[in-house]
Amino acid sequence: MSDQPPVLTVVPDPPSGDRPAQPQGELVVVTGMTGAGRSTAAKELEDLGFFVVDNLPPSLLPDAVRLIDQAHGTAQRLAVVVDVRSGSFFAALRTHLAQGVPSRRTTLLFLDAPDEVLVRRQEAARRPHPLQGTGRLLDGLTRERAVLADLRGEADLVIDTGALNVHQLTERVAAAFGTPQGTSLKVTVVSFGFKYGIPVDADYLADMRFLPNPFWIPELRSHTGRDSDVAEYVQTRPGAAEFLDQYVPLLLGVGEGYLREGKRFMRVAIGCTGGKHRSVAMSEEIARRLSERGHAARAIHRDLGRE
């Protein structure tokens, strides 16, 4: 080894036009209906390592991003909760989202639930709606839906929390934002029973009631689509293989289009009568095939255990 001290070479900064582009960080904008779970989502994002700012006036969004970038760099993931409590400032949110944030890859997360669920939650919390004024709680929700209608249509990810408890909502948020690989497509394949209602937040829906129902096979009735005997029975019925061979490539093609358009979330609903046998087995197989093709796909079963 040499006894000479190390030589420090100072390289001047290149002209701004020659500087390499800084990597984009992640920004999640959380909004949605009052009582739909914004606070729960914000707490989960904080647990996932996000710097969370609650009730941020939309006009301050660029300043908040700039301060976090300067203090922590773009590697620090940022989440802001913006809602109608911001009053007249709320109208600026769509403008900022349309312009984009140069240093951040932005995801708009919208939380929703049926009015009757929101009314029940607000009454349980004994809190008035910020837009109800001297009217009823439902009047405030109606005004809020009108204000948020365009944002809901533009959201990257909509979560209907009407049938979710706190733990299920945090699971959904963790599944969407729990990994730093924000550029991959995350696909949730959810099985459901038509008799319990259609998932309103699904991007695509398929009906498995064209397949024979294992419910009528005595030795399969008590089992579910996650059991190998039921899965084998469902997937070997006439038409099942043909459906999978055609439907999965369709989803793959749509997924490529989603990524080209900057969308990173897809929710596929697979239904049968009760959400126990056919939809469960087919959801598991669809998620498996999508995972084999490189997507972050998982199957969840909304109505399993409700019968």
Side-chain angles (χ1 to χ4, degrees), residues 12 37 39 71 113 125 131 144 227 238 257 294:
S39 297
L131 297 185
E144 186 175 31
D227 295 315

Side-chain angles (χ1 to χ4, degrees), residues 60 167 171 245 249 254:
L60 298 181
H167 303 294
E171 179 187 355
D245 291 343
V254 172

Side-chain angles (χ1 to χ4, degrees), residues 27-32 56-62 80-84 86-101 106 108-110 147-148 151 154:
L27 168 64
V28 177
V29 178
V30 182
T31 190
L56 179 74
S59 58
L60 298 181
L61 179 60
V80 298
V81 181
V82 184
D83 53 68
V84 292
S86 301
S88 59
F89 295 105
F90 189 76
L93 179 58
R94 290 188 67 207
T95 300
H96 288 304
L97 292 175
Q99 293 174 346
V101 180
T106 304
L108 177 59
L109 169 62
F110 192 100
V147 172
L148 298 177
L151 275 178
E154 297 168 359

Side-chain angles (χ1 to χ4, degrees), residues 16-37:
S16 58
D18 299 331
R19 293 175 184 170
Q22 294 298 314
Q24 280 192 317
E26 185 169 10
L27 168 64
V28 177
V29 178
V30 182
T31 190
M33 297 294 294
T34 300

Side-chain angles (χ1 to χ4, degrees), residues 4-307:
Q4 297 297 320
V7 177
L8 300 180
T9 302
V10 178
V11 180
D13 289 338
S16 58
D18 299 331
R19 293 175 184 170
Q22 294 298 314
Q24 280 192 317
E26 185 169 10
L27 168 64
V28 177
V29 178
V30 182
T31 190
M33 297 294 294
T34 300
R38 294 188 307 254
S39 297
T40 299
K43 290 177 183 177
E44 178 62 17
L45 288 170
E46 191 170 25
D47 290 343
L48 293 172
F50 282 79
F51 188 102
V52 178
V53 182
D54 193 10
N55 197 18
L56 179 74
S59 58
L60 298 181
L61 179 60
D63 294 326
V65 172
R66 177 176 53 81
L67 290 174
I68 295 300
D69 288 353
Q70 291 176 351
H72 304 286
T74 57
Q76 173 60 63
R77 297 192 289 173
L78 174 63
V80 298
V81 181
V82 184
D83 53 68
V84 292
R85 289 175 294 173
S86 301
S88 59
F89 295 105
F90 189 76
L93 179 58
R94 290 188 67 207
T95 300
H96 288 304
L97 292 175
Q99 293 174 346
V101 180
S103 64
R104 297 275 170 170
R105 183 180 59 254
T106 304
T107 298
L108 177 59
L109 169 62
F110 192 100
L111 301 175
D112 202 354
D115 284 347
E116 59 270 19
V117 175
L118 298 176
V119 168
R120 185 170 65 249
R121 290 174 180 173
Q122 286 297 99
E123 289 179 343
R126 298 184 181 277
R127 299 188 64 184
H129 191 281
L131 297 185
Q132 76 178 79
T134 59
R136 302 173 303 161
L137 178 57
L138 188 58
D139 296 331
L141 290 171
T142 301
R143 297 187 185 104
E144 186 175 31
R145 284 206 183 278
V147 172
L148 298 177
D150 290 335
L151 275 178
R152 191 187 193 285
E154 297 168 359
D156 298 290
L157 176 61
V158 177
I159 298 180
D160 179 8
T161 69
L164 304 181
N165 59 35
V166 171
H167 303 294
Q168 291 169 327
L169 175 55
T170 56
E171 179 187 355
R172 290 283 303 275
V173 174
F177 303 104
T179 65
Q181 299 171 348
T183 57
S184 63
L185 182 68
K186 298 179 176 66
V187 185
T188 300
V189 186
V190 54
S191 69
F192 72 95
F194 278 95
K195 69 179 183 180
Y196 301 115
I198 296 174
V200 299
D201 54 354
D203 298 303
Y204 293 90
L205 184 148
D207 185 353
M208 297 299 101
R209 290 176 296 184
F210 72 93
L211 297 172
N213 193 346
F215 178 85
W216 303 112
I217 309 297
E219 58 269 25
L220 299 180
R221 180 174 301 174
S222 63
H223 294 185
T224 76
R226 303 181 75 173
D227 295 315
S228 59
D229 52 354
V230 174
E232 181 180 2
Y233 175 85
V234 171
Q235 293 172 23
T236 56
R237 297 308 93 188
E242 291 81 359
F243 170 81
L244 290 168
D245 291 343
Q246 295 178 36
Y247 194 61
V248 172
L250 170 66
L251 295 177
L252 291 170
V254 172
E256 293 176 0
Y258 269 37
L259 291 174
R260 286 194 299 269
E261 293 299 315
K263 298 179 182 294
R264 302 186 303 281
F265 306 97
M266 180 190 296
R267 190 166 175 83
V268 180
I270 306 295
C272 65
T273 302
K276 179 180 179 179
H277 296 111
R278 293 166 291 181
S279 62
V280 173
M282 296 295 273
S283 294
E284 291 282 348
E285 180 62 16
I286 290 170
R288 186 189 69 79
R289 294 191 182 196
L290 291 173
S291 297
E292 285 183 346
R293 296 296 296 269
H295 293 307
R298 66 177 191 136
I300 62 174
H301 309 295
R302 191 193 72 177
D303 297 325
L304 198 57
R306 293 185 64 173
E307 72 284 347

